[in-house]
Amino acid sequence: MQNETLNPEALPVDLATFRPPVSSGNKNHAAGTLLDKYGRRISYVRLSVTDRCDFRCTYCMAEEMTFLPRDAVMTLEECLRVARVFAELGVNKLRITGGEPLVRKGIMWLIERLGALPGIDNLVLTTNGSQLDRFAAPLKTARVRRLNISLDTLKADRFEKITRIGDLGKVLHGIEAAGAAGFTRTKLNTVMMRGINDDEFVDLVRFAVANTLDISFIEEMPLGAIHGRHTTYISSEETRTLLSRHFELIPSTEDSGGPARYWRIPGSESRVGFISPHSHNFCDTCNRVRITAKGELYPCLGQNDAVNLMQPLRNGADDSGLRQAIVDSMGIKPLGHDFTQQMDAPQVVRFMSMTGG
Ligand code: SAM
Ligand code: SF4
């Protein structure tokens, strides 16, 4: 892992008061840089603003979910404060996620402020698309750079089964609204499920190409107690082999800054990506941490260790206390997750909607 050369003048921190992180055990810290103990630089935070959702996707949630009581969820002001302190520590990319972020009351208040936060130059959002019809234009105005929209099927009845209550038409309108608002490089996220949507992967790529969208296929992850995952798991490799019978796929060297590996289709703007936590472990270049709606900082999606930020947030800690808690979390960021292809038992007890996908 290389350490980047930093220009101290470009760093959004007060160098007079900043205490370099010491607790992660790495001696190569520079001011404004979050390094974990393996020398990986953390520049990307995924912030879950709610655990609630207007869908109940079968791979993400149990049928009967108990959601957090309101006062256990970070207020919008607390979300903003956490984001600001991360930005002061050199984080420049922020993804707003959930649950469904666009069902959080007052969400635009937060997003407008995050878009204006010094140091954050890459504000992005993951959504199920159901509310985009009305939110796409304000999100664009609030300087959200890109959208990821989940879409597992193009069949309305199947969509209703997978999401338990979702309306495909609303999501398709949302995708249209994103384009009309001026969003480019919008990416579809498709969770691969054998016997559920694997007969549509080719159509989903055609849909992406026709609408100048990118698309990423995601290996299902064993998060939360949901039975039967082992029967539906499909590897990225299998899907890529299938797609390459229908499309010429040219490996792309482009890096979106995330775990996806991309392929291009000649004559199209679209990229086809694969997120493969099982078959290709991407932990060695991991640059991110996750904050749950209840203010837990998870250094790794695939591990159960977390640092509680709600405590410093609510016990009157000043910014340096909060900053120290974040810096301390670098010491528990593991080298990697332990997902195996044993999909019949949850390897992590949280649902994705808790941690933020
Ligand atoms: N509600 C928004 C959405 O659906 O895009 C944002 C949150 S959702 C938890 C983020 C992403 O996680 C979605 O693309 C969803 O498909 C994915 N996801 C949820 N549970 C998953 C699982 N067990 N394995 C892989 N991906 C999962
Ligand atoms: Fe909601 Fe997104 Fe989870 Fe589906 S994947 S239940 S849309 S949070």
PDB file of all heavy atoms in Angstrom, residues 210-246:
ATOM      1  N   ALA A 210     -29.227   1.129 -23.360  1.00  0.00           N
ATOM      2  CA  ALA A 210     -30.225   1.960 -24.047  1.00  0.00           C
ATOM      3  C   ALA A 210     -30.445   3.285 -23.328  1.00  0.00           C
ATOM      4  O   ALA A 210     -30.821   4.275 -23.949  1.00  0.00           O
ATOM      5  CB  ALA A 210     -31.547   1.196 -24.143  1.00  0.00           C
ATOM      6  N   ASN A 211     -30.190   3.309 -22.020  1.00  0.00           N
ATOM      7  CA  ASN A 211     -30.449   4.529 -21.248  1.00  0.00           C
ATOM      8  C   ASN A 211     -29.162   5.214 -20.774  1.00  0.00           C
ATOM      9  O   ASN A 211     -29.209   6.094 -19.905  1.00  0.00           O
ATOM     10  CB  ASN A 211     -31.341   4.197 -20.048  1.00  0.00           C
ATOM     11  CG  ASN A 211     -32.740   3.802 -20.484  1.00  0.00           C
ATOM     12  OD1 ASN A 211     -33.541   4.651 -20.832  1.00  0.00           O
ATOM     13  ND2 ASN A 211     -33.006   2.499 -20.520  1.00  0.00           N
ATOM     14  N   THR A 212     -28.026   4.814 -21.374  1.00  0.00           N
ATOM     15  CA  THR A 212     -26.706   5.375 -21.027  1.00  0.00           C
ATOM     16  C   THR A 212     -26.468   5.357 -19.516  1.00  0.00           C
ATOM     17  O   THR A 212     -26.108   6.356 -18.887  1.00  0.00           O
ATOM     18  CB  THR A 212     -26.540   6.824 -21.572  1.00  0.00           C
ATOM     19  OG1 THR A 212     -27.243   6.910 -22.796  1.00  0.00           O
ATOM     20  CG2 THR A 212     -25.083   7.163 -21.793  1.00  0.00           C
ATOM     21  N   LEU A 213     -26.665   4.189 -18.944  1.00  0.00           N
ATOM     22  CA  LEU A 213     -26.417   3.990 -17.518  1.00  0.00           C
ATOM     23  C   LEU A 213     -25.279   2.990 -17.360  1.00  0.00           C
ATOM     24  O   LEU A 213     -25.044   2.172 -18.257  1.00  0.00           O
ATOM     25  CB  LEU A 213     -27.665   3.410 -16.839  1.00  0.00           C
ATOM     26  CG  LEU A 213     -28.971   4.189 -17.020  1.00  0.00           C
ATOM     27  CD1 LEU A 213     -30.175   3.320 -16.630  1.00  0.00           C
ATOM     28  CD2 LEU A 213     -28.942   5.452 -16.169  1.00  0.00           C
ATOM     29  N   ASP A 214     -24.589   3.045 -16.238  1.00  0.00           N
ATOM     30  CA  ASP A 214     -23.679   1.956 -15.884  1.00  0.00           C
ATOM     31  C   ASP A 214     -24.484   0.913 -15.111  1.00  0.00           C
ATOM     32  O   ASP A 214     -25.568   1.209 -14.596  1.00  0.00           O
ATOM     33  CB  ASP A 214     -22.540   2.471 -14.995  1.00  0.00           C
ATOM     34  CG  ASP A 214     -21.584   3.383 -15.755  1.00  0.00           C
ATOM     35  OD1 ASP A 214     -21.556   3.302 -17.002  1.00  0.00           O
ATOM     36  OD2 ASP A 214     -20.875   4.173 -15.110  1.00  0.00           O
ATOM     37  N   ILE A 215     -23.944  -0.268 -15.007  1.00  0.00           N
ATOM     38  CA  ILE A 215     -24.629  -1.292 -14.196  1.00  0.00           C
ATOM     39  C   ILE A 215     -23.593  -2.137 -13.466  1.00  0.00           C
ATOM     40  O   ILE A 215     -22.570  -2.505 -14.049  1.00  0.00           O
ATOM     41  CB  ILE A 215     -25.568  -2.173 -15.063  1.00  0.00           C
ATOM     42  CG1 ILE A 215     -26.294  -3.210 -14.190  1.00  0.00           C
ATOM     43  CG2 ILE A 215     -24.840  -2.851 -16.225  1.00  0.00           C
ATOM     44  CD1 ILE A 215     -27.488  -3.866 -14.882  1.00  0.00           C
ATOM     45  N   SER A 216     -23.839  -2.380 -12.189  1.00  0.00           N
ATOM     46  CA  SER A 216     -22.971  -3.276 -11.416  1.00  0.00           C
ATOM     47  C   SER A 216     -23.773  -4.458 -10.910  1.00  0.00           C
ATOM     48  O   SER A 216     -24.874  -4.278 -10.362  1.00  0.00           O
ATOM     49  CB  SER A 216     -22.378  -2.565 -10.204  1.00  0.00           C
ATOM     50  OG  SER A 216     -21.244  -1.843 -10.563  1.00  0.00           O
ATOM     51  N   PHE A 217     -23.226  -5.621 -11.106  1.00  0.00           N
ATOM     52  CA  PHE A 217     -23.826  -6.838 -10.563  1.00  0.00           C
ATOM     53  C   PHE A 217     -23.138  -7.145  -9.230  1.00  0.00           C
ATOM     54  O   PHE A 217     -21.911  -7.150  -9.148  1.00  0.00           O
ATOM     55  CB  PHE A 217     -23.661  -7.993 -11.548  1.00  0.00           C
ATOM     56  CG  PHE A 217     -24.514  -7.808 -12.788  1.00  0.00           C
ATOM     57  CD1 PHE A 217     -24.004  -7.198 -13.922  1.00  0.00           C
ATOM     58  CD2 PHE A 217     -25.840  -8.208 -12.783  1.00  0.00           C
ATOM     59  CE1 PHE A 217     -24.793  -7.001 -15.053  1.00  0.00           C
ATOM     60  CE2 PHE A 217     -26.639  -8.017 -13.902  1.00  0.00           C
ATOM     61  CZ  PHE A 217     -26.119  -7.418 -15.040  1.00  0.00           C
ATOM     62  N   ILE A 218     -23.963  -7.405  -8.224  1.00  0.00           N
ATOM     63  CA  ILE A 218     -23.439  -7.583  -6.862  1.00  0.00           C
ATOM     64  C   ILE A 218     -23.656  -9.009  -6.391  1.00  0.00           C
ATOM     65  O   ILE A 218     -24.775  -9.533  -6.500  1.00  0.00           O
ATOM     66  CB  ILE A 218     -24.156  -6.628  -5.869  1.00  0.00           C
ATOM     67  CG1 ILE A 218     -24.104  -5.187  -6.372  1.00  0.00           C
ATOM     68  CG2 ILE A 218     -23.568  -6.733  -4.480  1.00  0.00           C
ATOM     69  CD1 ILE A 218     -24.897  -4.213  -5.488  1.00  0.00           C
ATOM     70  N   GLU A 219     -22.597  -9.627  -5.890  1.00  0.00           N
ATOM     71  CA  GLU A 219     -22.758 -10.941  -5.250  1.00  0.00           C
ATOM     72  C   GLU A 219     -23.502 -10.737  -3.937  1.00  0.00           C
ATOM     73  O   GLU A 219     -23.161  -9.835  -3.162  1.00  0.00           O
ATOM     74  CB  GLU A 219     -21.388 -11.574  -4.983  1.00  0.00           C
ATOM     75  CG  GLU A 219     -20.682 -12.061  -6.236  1.00  0.00           C
ATOM     76  CD  GLU A 219     -19.299 -12.616  -5.933  1.00  0.00           C
ATOM     77  OE1 GLU A 219     -18.839 -12.544  -4.774  1.00  0.00           O
ATOM     78  OE2 GLU A 219     -18.662 -13.120  -6.878  1.00  0.00           O
ATOM     79  N   GLU A 220     -24.489 -11.563  -3.704  1.00  0.00           N
ATOM     80  CA  GLU A 220     -25.267 -11.433  -2.479  1.00  0.00           C
ATOM     81  C   GLU A 220     -24.379 -11.695  -1.265  1.00  0.00           C
ATOM     82  O   GLU A 220     -23.582 -12.625  -1.254  1.00  0.00           O
ATOM     83  CB  GLU A 220     -26.419 -12.444  -2.509  1.00  0.00           C
ATOM     84  CG  GLU A 220     -27.445 -12.160  -1.453  1.00  0.00           C
ATOM     85  CD  GLU A 220     -28.634 -13.109  -1.534  1.00  0.00           C
ATOM     86  OE1 GLU A 220     -28.756 -13.855  -2.519  1.00  0.00           O
ATOM     87  OE2 GLU A 220     -29.429 -13.096  -0.586  1.00  0.00           O
ATOM     88  N   MET A 221     -24.521 -10.832  -0.272  1.00  0.00           N
ATOM     89  CA  MET A 221     -23.683 -10.960   0.921  1.00  0.00           C
ATOM     90  C   MET A 221     -24.485 -11.514   2.091  1.00  0.00           C
ATOM     91  O   MET A 221     -25.671 -11.199   2.224  1.00  0.00           O
ATOM     92  CB  MET A 221     -23.106  -9.591   1.293  1.00  0.00           C
ATOM     93  CG  MET A 221     -22.016  -9.145   0.346  1.00  0.00           C
ATOM     94  SD  MET A 221     -21.456  -7.493   0.738  1.00  0.00           S
ATOM     95  CE  MET A 221     -22.238  -6.565  -0.569  1.00  0.00           C
ATOM     96  N   PRO A 222     -23.849 -12.309   2.933  1.00  0.00           N
ATOM     97  CA  PRO A 222     -24.561 -12.963   4.044  1.00  0.00           C
ATOM     98  C   PRO A 222     -24.756 -12.031   5.233  1.00  0.00           C
ATOM     99  O   PRO A 222     -24.243 -12.254   6.312  1.00  0.00           O
ATOM    100  CB  PRO A 222     -23.631 -14.123   4.390  1.00  0.00           C
ATOM    101  CG  PRO A 222     -22.268 -13.620   4.031  1.00  0.00           C
ATOM    102  CD  PRO A 222     -22.433 -12.680   2.873  1.00  0.00           C
ATOM    103  N   LEU A 223     -25.539 -10.973   5.044  1.00  0.00           N
ATOM    104  CA  LEU A 223     -25.778 -10.018   6.122  1.00  0.00           C
ATOM    105  C   LEU A 223     -27.191 -10.210   6.652  1.00  0.00           C
ATOM    106  O   LEU A 223     -28.153 -10.098   5.900  1.00  0.00           O
ATOM    107  CB  LEU A 223     -25.633  -8.583   5.603  1.00  0.00           C
ATOM    108  CG  LEU A 223     -24.315  -8.235   4.911  1.00  0.00           C
ATOM    109  CD1 LEU A 223     -24.383  -6.844   4.329  1.00  0.00           C
ATOM    110  CD2 LEU A 223     -23.164  -8.319   5.895  1.00  0.00           C
ATOM    111  N   GLY A 224     -27.297 -10.473   7.949  1.00  0.00           N
ATOM    112  CA  GLY A 224     -28.631 -10.664   8.530  1.00  0.00           C
ATOM    113  C   GLY A 224     -29.114 -12.084   8.316  1.00  0.00           C
ATOM    114  O   GLY A 224     -28.711 -12.765   7.368  1.00  0.00           O
ATOM    115  N   ALA A 225     -30.001 -12.502   9.203  1.00  0.00           N
ATOM    116  CA  ALA A 225     -30.479 -13.890   9.160  1.00  0.00           C
ATOM    117  C   ALA A 225     -31.594 -14.043   8.137  1.00  0.00           C
ATOM    118  O   ALA A 225     -32.753 -13.771   8.420  1.00  0.00           O
ATOM    119  CB  ALA A 225     -30.962 -14.300  10.549  1.00  0.00           C
ATOM    120  N   ILE A 226     -31.236 -14.431   6.927  1.00  0.00           N
ATOM    121  CA  ILE A 226     -32.225 -14.703   5.887  1.00  0.00           C
ATOM    122  C   ILE A 226     -31.895 -16.084   5.347  1.00  0.00           C
ATOM    123  O   ILE A 226     -30.756 -16.358   4.978  1.00  0.00           O
ATOM    124  CB  ILE A 226     -32.139 -13.644   4.764  1.00  0.00           C
ATOM    125  CG1 ILE A 226     -32.598 -12.284   5.307  1.00  0.00           C
ATOM    126  CG2 ILE A 226     -32.992 -14.055   3.575  1.00  0.00           C
ATOM    127  CD1 ILE A 226     -32.394 -11.132   4.390  1.00  0.00           C
ATOM    128  N   HIS A 227     -32.909 -16.946   5.310  1.00  0.00           N
ATOM    129  CA  HIS A 227     -32.618 -18.327   4.931  1.00  0.00           C
ATOM    130  C   HIS A 227     -32.557 -18.493   3.427  1.00  0.00           C
ATOM    131  O   HIS A 227     -33.163 -17.742   2.688  1.00  0.00           O
ATOM    132  CB  HIS A 227     -33.684 -19.255   5.522  1.00  0.00           C
ATOM    133  CG  HIS A 227     -33.644 -19.233   7.012  1.00  0.00           C
ATOM    134  ND1 HIS A 227     -32.653 -19.854   7.728  1.00  0.00           N
ATOM    135  CD2 HIS A 227     -34.432 -18.611   7.910  1.00  0.00           C
ATOM    136  CE1 HIS A 227     -32.853 -19.638   9.006  1.00  0.00           C
ATOM    137  NE2 HIS A 227     -33.914 -18.879   9.139  1.00  0.00           N
ATOM    138  N   GLY A 228     -31.784 -19.454   2.990  1.00  0.00           N
ATOM    139  CA  GLY A 228     -31.819 -19.848   1.589  1.00  0.00           C
ATOM    140  C   GLY A 228     -30.870 -19.104   0.681  1.00  0.00           C
ATOM    141  O   GLY A 228     -30.906 -19.281  -0.526  1.00  0.00           O
ATOM    142  N   ARG A 229     -29.989 -18.251   1.237  1.00  0.00           N
ATOM    143  CA  ARG A 229     -29.088 -17.511   0.368  1.00  0.00           C
ATOM    144  C   ARG A 229     -28.183 -18.448  -0.424  1.00  0.00           C
ATOM    145  O   ARG A 229     -27.804 -18.146  -1.546  1.00  0.00           O
ATOM    146  CB  ARG A 229     -28.176 -16.588   1.187  1.00  0.00           C
ATOM    147  CG  ARG A 229     -28.833 -15.356   1.713  1.00  0.00           C
ATOM    148  CD  ARG A 229     -27.734 -14.409   2.158  1.00  0.00           C
ATOM    149  NE  ARG A 229     -28.122 -13.539   3.247  1.00  0.00           N
ATOM    150  CZ  ARG A 229     -28.719 -12.368   3.109  1.00  0.00           C
ATOM    151  NH1 ARG A 229     -29.024 -11.926   1.924  1.00  0.00           N
ATOM    152  NH2 ARG A 229     -29.020 -11.635   4.155  1.00  0.00           N
ATOM    153  N   HIS A 230     -27.790 -19.577   0.232  1.00  0.00           N
ATOM    154  CA  HIS A 230     -26.837 -20.470  -0.422  1.00  0.00           C
ATOM    155  C   HIS A 230     -27.415 -21.057  -1.705  1.00  0.00           C
ATOM    156  O   HIS A 230     -26.685 -21.479  -2.584  1.00  0.00           O
ATOM    157  CB  HIS A 230     -26.369 -21.575   0.533  1.00  0.00           C
ATOM    158  CG  HIS A 230     -27.493 -22.411   1.063  1.00  0.00           C
ATOM    159  ND1 HIS A 230     -28.510 -21.868   1.814  1.00  0.00           N
ATOM    160  CD2 HIS A 230     -27.764 -23.726   0.951  1.00  0.00           C
ATOM    161  CE1 HIS A 230     -29.357 -22.831   2.148  1.00  0.00           C
ATOM    162  NE2 HIS A 230     -28.929 -23.962   1.629  1.00  0.00           N
ATOM    163  N   THR A 231     -28.751 -21.058  -1.813  1.00  0.00           N
ATOM    164  CA  THR A 231     -29.327 -21.628  -3.030  1.00  0.00           C
ATOM    165  C   THR A 231     -29.393 -20.583  -4.141  1.00  0.00           C
ATOM    166  O   THR A 231     -29.566 -20.926  -5.303  1.00  0.00           O
ATOM    167  CB  THR A 231     -30.759 -22.159  -2.777  1.00  0.00           C
ATOM    168  OG1 THR A 231     -31.574 -21.058  -2.348  1.00  0.00           O
ATOM    169  CG2 THR A 231     -30.793 -23.249  -1.739  1.00  0.00           C
ATOM    170  N   THR A 232     -29.295 -19.313  -3.794  1.00  0.00           N
ATOM    171  CA  THR A 232     -29.454 -18.256  -4.798  1.00  0.00           C
ATOM    172  C   THR A 232     -28.134 -17.595  -5.185  1.00  0.00           C
ATOM    173  O   THR A 232     -28.094 -16.844  -6.147  1.00  0.00           O
ATOM    174  CB  THR A 232     -30.426 -17.159  -4.294  1.00  0.00           C
ATOM    175  OG1 THR A 232     -29.971 -16.690  -3.033  1.00  0.00           O
ATOM    176  CG2 THR A 232     -31.836 -17.694  -4.170  1.00  0.00           C
ATOM    177  N   TYR A 233     -27.075 -17.888  -4.450  1.00  0.00           N
ATOM    178  CA  TYR A 233     -25.800 -17.209  -4.705  1.00  0.00           C
ATOM    179  C   TYR A 233     -25.275 -17.488  -6.115  1.00  0.00           C
ATOM    180  O   TYR A 233     -25.254 -18.622  -6.578  1.00  0.00           O
ATOM    181  CB  TYR A 233     -24.762 -17.661  -3.661  1.00  0.00           C
ATOM    182  CG  TYR A 233     -23.377 -17.176  -3.976  1.00  0.00           C
ATOM    183  CD1 TYR A 233     -23.025 -15.846  -3.739  1.00  0.00           C
ATOM    184  CD2 TYR A 233     -22.415 -18.020  -4.533  1.00  0.00           C
ATOM    185  CE1 TYR A 233     -21.763 -15.379  -4.050  1.00  0.00           C
ATOM    186  CE2 TYR A 233     -21.153 -17.563  -4.846  1.00  0.00           C
ATOM    187  CZ  TYR A 233     -20.830 -16.244  -4.608  1.00  0.00           C
ATOM    188  OH  TYR A 233     -19.585 -15.781  -4.922  1.00  0.00           O
ATOM    189  N   ILE A 234     -24.856 -16.411  -6.784  1.00  0.00           N
ATOM    190  CA  ILE A 234     -24.210 -16.543  -8.099  1.00  0.00           C
ATOM    191  C   ILE A 234     -22.935 -15.711  -8.069  1.00  0.00           C
ATOM    192  O   ILE A 234     -22.953 -14.571  -7.580  1.00  0.00           O
ATOM    193  CB  ILE A 234     -25.093 -15.964  -9.241  1.00  0.00           C
ATOM    194  CG1 ILE A 234     -26.482 -16.591  -9.231  1.00  0.00           C
ATOM    195  CG2 ILE A 234     -24.416 -16.159 -10.600  1.00  0.00           C
ATOM    196  CD1 ILE A 234     -27.358 -16.107 -10.378  1.00  0.00           C
ATOM    197  N   SER A 235     -21.861 -16.241  -8.607  1.00  0.00           N
ATOM    198  CA  SER A 235     -20.607 -15.483  -8.592  1.00  0.00           C
ATOM    199  C   SER A 235     -20.572 -14.512  -9.768  1.00  0.00           C
ATOM    200  O   SER A 235     -21.234 -14.713 -10.794  1.00  0.00           O
ATOM    201  CB  SER A 235     -19.418 -16.431  -8.674  1.00  0.00           C
ATOM    202  OG  SER A 235     -19.338 -16.958  -9.990  1.00  0.00           O
ATOM    203  N   SER A 236     -19.779 -13.469  -9.622  1.00  0.00           N
ATOM    204  CA  SER A 236     -19.570 -12.494 -10.696  1.00  0.00           C
ATOM    205  C   SER A 236     -19.042 -13.189 -11.940  1.00  0.00           C
ATOM    206  O   SER A 236     -19.419 -12.854 -13.061  1.00  0.00           O
ATOM    207  CB  SER A 236     -18.537 -11.459 -10.255  1.00  0.00           C
ATOM    208  OG  SER A 236     -19.047 -10.717  -9.197  1.00  0.00           O
ATOM    209  N   GLU A 237     -18.156 -14.150 -11.728  1.00  0.00           N
ATOM    210  CA  GLU A 237     -17.509 -14.841 -12.841  1.00  0.00           C
ATOM    211  C   GLU A 237     -18.561 -15.534 -13.719  1.00  0.00           C
ATOM    212  O   GLU A 237     -18.516 -15.461 -14.948  1.00  0.00           O
ATOM    213  CB  GLU A 237     -16.524 -15.871 -12.258  1.00  0.00           C
ATOM    214  CG  GLU A 237     -15.406 -16.273 -13.171  1.00  0.00           C
ATOM    215  CD  GLU A 237     -14.705 -15.077 -13.809  1.00  0.00           C
ATOM    216  OE1 GLU A 237     -14.509 -14.037 -13.143  1.00  0.00           O
ATOM    217  OE2 GLU A 237     -14.382 -15.202 -15.008  1.00  0.00           O
ATOM    218  N   GLU A 238     -19.499 -16.180 -13.054  1.00  0.00           N
ATOM    219  CA  GLU A 238     -20.544 -16.883 -13.799  1.00  0.00           C
ATOM    220  C   GLU A 238     -21.375 -15.897 -14.632  1.00  0.00           C
ATOM    221  O   GLU A 238     -21.679 -16.148 -15.806  1.00  0.00           O
ATOM    222  CB  GLU A 238     -21.444 -17.644 -12.812  1.00  0.00           C
ATOM    223  CG  GLU A 238     -22.461 -18.518 -13.513  1.00  0.00           C
ATOM    224  CD  GLU A 238     -23.327 -19.325 -12.533  1.00  0.00           C
ATOM    225  OE1 GLU A 238     -22.890 -19.612 -11.399  1.00  0.00           O
ATOM    226  OE2 GLU A 238     -24.454 -19.678 -12.931  1.00  0.00           O
ATOM    227  N   THR A 239     -21.697 -14.764 -14.034  1.00  0.00           N
ATOM    228  CA  THR A 239     -22.502 -13.772 -14.758  1.00  0.00           C
ATOM    229  C   THR A 239     -21.705 -13.151 -15.900  1.00  0.00           C
ATOM    230  O   THR A 239     -22.225 -12.926 -16.995  1.00  0.00           O
ATOM    231  CB  THR A 239     -22.998 -12.677 -13.784  1.00  0.00           C
ATOM    232  OG1 THR A 239     -23.781 -13.322 -12.783  1.00  0.00           O
ATOM    233  CG2 THR A 239     -23.830 -11.628 -14.484  1.00  0.00           C
ATOM    234  N   ARG A 240     -20.426 -12.899 -15.655  1.00  0.00           N
ATOM    235  CA  ARG A 240     -19.591 -12.312 -16.716  1.00  0.00           C
ATOM    236  C   ARG A 240     -19.486 -13.275 -17.903  1.00  0.00           C
ATOM    237  O   ARG A 240     -19.570 -12.873 -19.059  1.00  0.00           O
ATOM    238  CB  ARG A 240     -18.208 -11.966 -16.177  1.00  0.00           C
ATOM    239  CG  ARG A 240     -17.462 -10.979 -17.062  1.00  0.00           C
ATOM    240  CD  ARG A 240     -16.258 -10.435 -16.341  1.00  0.00           C
ATOM    241  NE  ARG A 240     -15.313 -11.469 -15.965  1.00  0.00           N
ATOM    242  CZ  ARG A 240     -14.456 -12.027 -16.786  1.00  0.00           C
ATOM    243  NH1 ARG A 240     -14.394 -11.662 -18.040  1.00  0.00           N
ATOM    244  NH2 ARG A 240     -13.631 -12.966 -16.347  1.00  0.00           N
ATOM    245  N   THR A 241     -19.347 -14.546 -17.599  1.00  0.00           N
ATOM    246  CA  THR A 241     -19.279 -15.544 -18.674  1.00  0.00           C
ATOM    247  C   THR A 241     -20.583 -15.532 -19.466  1.00  0.00           C
ATOM    248  O   THR A 241     -20.578 -15.533 -20.709  1.00  0.00           O
ATOM    249  CB  THR A 241     -19.031 -16.952 -18.080  1.00  0.00           C
ATOM    250  OG1 THR A 241     -17.863 -16.878 -17.289  1.00  0.00           O
ATOM    251  CG2 THR A 241     -18.863 -18.004 -19.153  1.00  0.00           C
ATOM    252  N   LEU A 242     -21.691 -15.474 -18.760  1.00  0.00           N
ATOM    253  CA  LEU A 242     -22.998 -15.421 -19.425  1.00  0.00           C
ATOM    254  C   LEU A 242     -23.101 -14.176 -20.307  1.00  0.00           C
ATOM    255  O   LEU A 242     -23.475 -14.264 -21.487  1.00  0.00           O
ATOM    256  CB  LEU A 242     -24.101 -15.410 -18.360  1.00  0.00           C
ATOM    257  CG  LEU A 242     -25.488 -14.998 -18.860  1.00  0.00           C
ATOM    258  CD1 LEU A 242     -26.207 -16.219 -19.430  1.00  0.00           C
ATOM    259  CD2 LEU A 242     -26.341 -14.388 -17.759  1.00  0.00           C
ATOM    260  N   LEU A 243     -22.744 -13.030 -19.745  1.00  0.00           N
ATOM    261  CA  LEU A 243     -22.893 -11.770 -20.500  1.00  0.00           C
ATOM    262  C   LEU A 243     -21.969 -11.734 -21.711  1.00  0.00           C
ATOM    263  O   LEU A 243     -22.310 -11.167 -22.753  1.00  0.00           O
ATOM    264  CB  LEU A 243     -22.616 -10.565 -19.593  1.00  0.00           C
ATOM    265  CG  LEU A 243     -23.633 -10.322 -18.473  1.00  0.00           C
ATOM    266  CD1 LEU A 243     -23.219  -9.142 -17.601  1.00  0.00           C
ATOM    267  CD2 LEU A 243     -25.028 -10.076 -19.050  1.00  0.00           C
ATOM    268  N   SER A 244     -20.796 -12.362 -21.562  1.00  0.00           N
ATOM    269  CA  SER A 244     -19.836 -12.279 -22.680  1.00  0.00           C
ATOM    270  C   SER A 244     -20.305 -13.102 -23.894  1.00  0.00           C
ATOM    271  O   SER A 244     -19.772 -12.966 -24.974  1.00  0.00           O
ATOM    272  CB  SER A 244     -18.435 -12.678 -22.228  1.00  0.00           C
ATOM    273  OG  SER A 244     -18.482 -13.989 -21.773  1.00  0.00           O
ATOM    274  N   ARG A 245     -21.342 -13.925 -23.698  1.00  0.00           N
ATOM    275  CA  ARG A 245     -21.937 -14.611 -24.864  1.00  0.00           C
ATOM    276  C   ARG A 245     -22.826 -13.654 -25.654  1.00  0.00           C
ATOM    277  O   ARG A 245     -23.172 -13.902 -26.788  1.00  0.00           O
ATOM    278  CB  ARG A 245     -22.767 -15.804 -24.407  1.00  0.00           C
ATOM    279  CG  ARG A 245     -21.899 -16.965 -23.994  1.00  0.00           C
ATOM    280  CD  ARG A 245     -22.740 -18.231 -23.771  1.00  0.00           C
ATOM    281  NE  ARG A 245     -22.198 -18.941 -22.639  1.00  0.00           N
ATOM    282  CZ  ARG A 245     -22.824 -19.217 -21.505  1.00  0.00           C
ATOM    283  NH1 ARG A 245     -24.078 -18.876 -21.337  1.00  0.00           N
ATOM    284  NH2 ARG A 245     -22.211 -19.848 -20.541  1.00  0.00           N
ATOM    285  N   HIS A 246     -23.218 -12.561 -25.039  1.00  0.00           N
ATOM    286  CA  HIS A 246     -24.144 -11.618 -25.684  1.00  0.00           C
ATOM    287  C   HIS A 246     -23.504 -10.279 -26.017  1.00  0.00           C
ATOM    288  O   HIS A 246     -23.983  -9.550 -26.878  1.00  0.00           O
ATOM    289  CB  HIS A 246     -25.352 -11.370 -24.779  1.00  0.00           C
ATOM    290  CG  HIS A 246     -26.131 -12.616 -24.499  1.00  0.00           C
ATOM    291  ND1 HIS A 246     -27.249 -12.967 -25.213  1.00  0.00           N
ATOM    292  CD2 HIS A 246     -25.919 -13.624 -23.601  1.00  0.00           C
ATOM    293  CE1 HIS A 246     -27.717 -14.118 -24.748  1.00  0.00           C
ATOM    294  NE2 HIS A 246     -26.924 -14.539 -23.772  1.00  0.00           N
TER     295      HIS A 246
END
